[in-house]
């Protein structure tokens, strides 16, 4: 299963549930929402649009530190391919983020796979 955490401008495909947290531009921020989700959800892979690296290095650096590439599978595609992938998400959590390409898809991992 996958979920998407998005900025306030990402289109939500028809049929995908939207959880709209946006209260105002920047509230809550992408970083705030991703940090809380990362704390409570075990993920195995992250998917971002490759454009984030050049157009929003602050968000990219935050994601790299939150989801280190030696612990998570990283998928980087074009923004168009990213938007296409959102059609398979269980939901899109819309933040108030107003910076470009601040979007991520997280693929869930099994929460008890590390237990003996």
């Amino acid at each position: 299963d996958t979920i998407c955490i998005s900025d306030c401008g990402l289109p939500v495909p028809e049929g995908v549930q939207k959880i709209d947290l946006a209260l105002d531009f920047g509230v809550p921020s992408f970083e705030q929402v991703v940090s809380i989700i990362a704390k409570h959800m075990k993920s195995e892979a992250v998917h971002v649009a490759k454009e984030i690296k050049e157009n929003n290095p602050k968000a990219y650096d935050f994601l790299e530190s939150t989801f280190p590439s030696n612990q998570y599978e990283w998928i980087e595609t074009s923004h168009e391919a990213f938007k296409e992938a959102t059609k398979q998400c269980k939901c899109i959590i819309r933040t108030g983020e107003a910076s470009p390409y601040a979007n991520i898809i997280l693929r869930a991992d099994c929460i008890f796979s590390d237990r003996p």
Side-chain angles (χ1 to χ4, degrees):
D1 288 346
T2 59
I3 64 166
C4 176
I5 303 167
S6 77
D7 59 30
C8 64
L10 187 75
V12 177
E14 189 173 328
V16 176
Q17 180 182 4
K18 175 173 64 173
I19 301 170
D20 195 345
L21 301 180
L23 300 173
D24 201 350
F25 283 125
V27 180
S29 73
F30 178 70
E31 287 186 17
Q32 288 173 315
V33 176
V34 170
S35 293
I36 291 169
I37 298 290
K39 181 178 173 182
H40 296 285
M41 176 183 169
K42 185 171 182 186
S43 301
E44 64 181 8
V46 300
H47 181 170
V48 298
K50 62 184 175 186
E51 290 88 345
I52 190 175
K53 191 182 279 188
E54 182 177 325
N55 295 290
N56 196 341
K58 180 180 178 237
Y60 187 83
D61 292 345
F62 162 74
L63 292 176
E64 276 192 314
S65 67
T66 304
F67 303 102
S69 61
N70 64 341
Q71 296 174 33
Y72 297 87
E73 176 187 352
W74 270 72
I75 303 161
E76 295 187 26
T77 62
S78 70
H79 188 57
E80 289 305 313
F82 180 90
K83 289 191 293 187
E84 188 66 28
T86 65
K87 293 178 181 178
Q88 304 306 314
C89 290
K90 295 292 184 185
C91 69
I92 293 179
I93 302 170
R94 182 177 177 259
T95 71
E97 186 65 45
S99 64
Y101 303 103
N103 307 295
I104 187 172
I105 295 173
L106 298 173
R107 186 171 69 220
D109 196 2
C110 182
I111 61 171
F112 53 83
S113 64
D114 295 336
R115 294 185 182 211

